[in-house]
Structures are given as C-alpha cells and as structure tokens.
C-alpha cells in the first residue's frame, strides 16, 4: 500500500497538475483564437454595415420622394374633384334653364 501511495504521489499528482496547466493554456489560446477571428473579419463587418447604411439611405430617400409625389397627386385629385363638381353644377343649371 505504501508503494501505491508513493506511485500516486510521484505519477498521479504531476499528471493532474500537467493536465490542469494544459487546460488553462488551452482555454487562453481559445480566447485568443476567437479574438483573431473577430479581428480578421472586423473590416468586412464594417464594410457590410456601410453598405447596409447606404442602402437604407437610398430606400429612405425613395420613400420621401414617393411621399412628396403622393401629396402632389392628392392635391391634383382635389383640384380635379372641384372642377368636376363645378361642371356638374353647370350642367344641372343648364338642364334647369332648358326646362323653363
């Protein structure tokens, strides 16, 4: 039994310490490698964000242009409705005069 304890102390504990150290180093390297991946793609992500912002600006401008066109068309419709109402009134007056 004494022999087994000595063997555990000389082989087992150093093995556990080595495994722990390897795990800690591996965990640190994993974090560093993830940071490298992000760092490698940062420029691409910024470029993509710039493209998306430019597209958003274009779509926003198109929307604003369409809103302005809609306002102008609504005003034109109001004007035409007024003209139509005046013509109807004139036609009714003309009919009434012909009946007299």
């Amino acid at each position: 039994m004494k022999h087994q304890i000595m063997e555990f102390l000389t082989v087992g504990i150093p093995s556990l310490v080595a495994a722990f150290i390897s795990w800690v180093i591996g965990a640190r390297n994993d974090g560093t490698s993830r940071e490298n991946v992000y760092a490698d793609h940062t420029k691409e992500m910024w470029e993509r964000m710039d493209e998306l912002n430019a597209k958003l600006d274009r779509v926003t401008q198109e929307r604003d242009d369409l809103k302005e066109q809609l306002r102008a068309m609504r005003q034109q419709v109001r004007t035409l409705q007024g003209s139509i109402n005046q013509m109807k009134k004139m036609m009714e007056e003309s009919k009434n005069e012909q009946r007299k």
Side-chain angles (χ1 to χ4, degrees), residues 26-45:
R28 280 189 187 168
N29 287 341
D30 285 347
T32 303
S33 65
R34 279 188 227 117
E35 289 175 10
N36 289 340
V37 168
Y38 294 132
D40 290 344
H41 296 287
T42 300
K43 183 179 178 184
E44 293 168 11
M45 288 188 289

Side-chain angles (χ1 to χ4, degrees), residues 26 51 59 62 66 80:
E51 289 173 13
V59 169
E62 288 176 19
L66 289 171
L80 292 172

Side-chain angles (χ1 to χ4, degrees), residues 13-59:
I13 291 180
S15 297
L16 290 174
V17 170
F20 178 76
I21 291 172
S22 294
W23 177 78
V24 169
I25 291 172
R28 280 189 187 168
N29 287 341
D30 285 347
T32 303
S33 65
R34 279 188 227 117
E35 289 175 10
N36 289 340
V37 168
Y38 294 132
D40 290 344
H41 296 287
T42 300
K43 183 179 178 184
E44 293 168 11
M45 288 188 289
W46 282 109
E47 288 172 355
R48 184 157 187 230
M49 284 179 31
D50 289 342
E51 289 173 13
L52 290 173
N53 281 330
K55 185 176 182 179
L56 177 62
D57 290 342
R58 284 192 304 271
V59 169

Side-chain angles (χ1 to χ4, degrees), residues 71-95:
R71 284 189 195 109
M73 288 179 177
R74 284 182 176 164
Q75 181 59 41
Q76 190 175 13
V77 167
R78 282 189 215 105
T79 302
L80 292 172
Q81 283 176 336
S83 298
I84 290 170
N85 289 338
Q86 285 178 345
M87 288 179 185
K88 282 182 181 179
K89 196 182 248 186
M90 289 172 54
M91 288 175 64
E92 285 181 24
E93 289 174 0
S94 175
K95 282 182 185 180

